[in-house]
Amino acid sequence: MLKMLIMGPAGAGKGTMSELIASNFKVAHISSGDMFREEIKHQTHLGLQAKSYITQGLLVPDEVTIQMVGNRLKKDDCQNGYLLDGFPRSLAQAEAIEDFNINAVINLQIDEHLLVDRIVFRRICQQCGTIYNIKLNPIENAEICPKCCGKLYQRNDDTYEKLMVRLESYREETKPVIDYYRQKGIVYDVDAGQTIDDVYKQIESILKNVAEEETK
Ligand code: AP5
Ligand code: MG
């Protein structure tokens, strides 16, 4: 069974690649960021707890995040494998899932200067969640989803200033998590500065090998 993580800085393409991986490898896609945004939208207690951190570009405290993701991993759709996107992001979070025996960590590597356009021009469909970029991969109408005609929106942490804060927290808190998994020998580095198709091709060939090893 594939139990995977996808890691990388804000805008590296975790969400974009997760959509492709989840549909081709038939695993549940669990994005902690998406889960928090849903909670905020519905103004739940958890959403209210997370909101001020997310709008500042800071990490939500570990105990809140670990509980949310832990509950999600117990759901039925995770029994055939899963892909965690944006979790773990601190060593405490990684230790909390130590017993899950993750078998692959896709590490998206990219020059930080490429991230600005990816973040500032990102738009997301309110209805189906598809991720777009109105500068790098222009669509006919920058306000309407070409797939489902839903309205496109911009995340409120997608500004240049907030990106700088998010990148700082990535360097300080999340990079040590990659080293933690590297010591276990399960990190696969991917050049995320290429086109969406070319980044996915690298990931697909890595995961096909991992899946094959798992069935042995
Ligand atoms: P989260 O939602 O995880 O945000 P993030 O890590 O900052 O990453 P993004 O979602 O911004 O980028 P992505 O890598 O998914 O890129 P995407 O595929 O969209 O977290 C948000 C916040 O929630 C955090 O700041 C924190 O506050 C909180 N949080 C979440 N998890 C937490 C945790 N575990 N602990 C504590 N707090 C937590 O792509 C970006 C753009 O680039 C798009 O426009 C896309 O179309 C484009 N693009 C993608 N790939 C390519 C390519 N190859 N070529 C050209 N364009 C591309
Ligand atoms: Mg994302």
Side-chain angles (χ1 to χ4, degrees):
M1 176 166 105
L2 286 172
K3 294 178 287 186
M4 305 171 279
L5 311 181
I6 188 160
M7 301 191 61
K14 301 183 292 298
T16 304
M17 291 303 138
S18 294
E19 283 177 17
L20 296 167
I21 298 167
S23 74
N24 290 322
F25 288 86
K26 313 277 179 262
V27 292
H29 170 211
I30 303 175
S31 157
S32 43
D34 287 350
M35 290 174 76
F36 281 131
R37 283 183 288 277
E38 270 303 298
E39 298 287 340
I40 293 171
K41 192 164 112 189
H42 294 105
Q43 300 186 333
T44 63
H45 176 64
L46 176 60
L48 292 174
Q49 280 178 295
K51 191 174 177 178
S52 66
Y53 296 97
I54 296 187
T55 30
Q56 290 179 76
L58 300 171
L59 291 189
V60 178
D62 283 334
E63 62 271 23
V64 177
T65 311
I66 290 169
Q67 201 185 7
M68 176 182 77
V69 177
N71 288 339
R72 177 68 185 84
L73 284 167
K74 289 182 194 144
K75 300 234 162 109
D76 285 351
D77 65 335
C78 297
Q79 303 315 309
N80 296 322
Y82 48 82
L83 171 65
L84 286 168
D85 158 8
F87 183 96
R89 252 171 156 102
S90 67
L91 285 173
Q93 294 179 14
E95 280 156 14
I97 56 159
E98 175 70 33
D99 292 347
F100 286 73
N101 297 319
I102 296 298
N103 39 38
V105 178
I106 299 294
N107 179 32
L108 300 179
Q109 296 184 309
I110 185 163
D111 272 338
E112 284 191 1
H113 75 269
L114 290 173
L115 299 174
V116 178
D117 277 353
R118 287 197 183 187
I119 287 294
V120 173
F121 296 99
R122 169 168 55 192
R123 298 293 184 273
I124 303 161
C125 177
Q126 225 165 41
Q127 208 159 281
C128 71
T130 303
I131 302 164
Y132 297 96
N133 192 291
I134 57 170
K135 178 172 175 187
L136 302 172
N137 288 303
I139 46 176
E140 206 173 313
N141 181 339
E143 288 173 14
I144 304 286
C145 175
K147 273 195 198 165
C148 77
C149 295
K151 206 167 176 290
L152 301 185
Y153 76 97
Q154 186 169 22
R155 276 168 48 176
N156 66 8
D157 58 346
D158 276 354
T159 62
Y160 178 82
E161 292 73 22
K162 303 272 172 63
L163 171 63
M164 294 302 122
V165 180
R166 285 153 68 194
L167 292 180
E168 182 62 23
S169 105
Y170 174 75
R171 283 184 220 109
E172 295 292 317
E173 296 176 81
T174 307
K175 274 210 164 153
V177 177
I178 297 171
D179 299 334
Y180 169 91
Y181 287 114
R182 210 178 280 287
Q183 282 171 10
K184 296 179 184 286
I186 56 167
V187 173
Y188 299 88
D189 293 319
V190 166
D191 174 4
Q194 303 179 13
T195 63
I196 291 176
D197 276 358
D198 287 343
V199 178
Y200 182 67
K201 274 186 202 142
Q202 296 175 65
I203 296 176
E204 188 175 44
S205 93
I206 292 166
L207 293 182
K208 278 185 177 160
N209 285 332
V210 174
E212 215 176 278
E213 284 299 312
E214 282 304 307
T215 53
K216 275 184 189 162

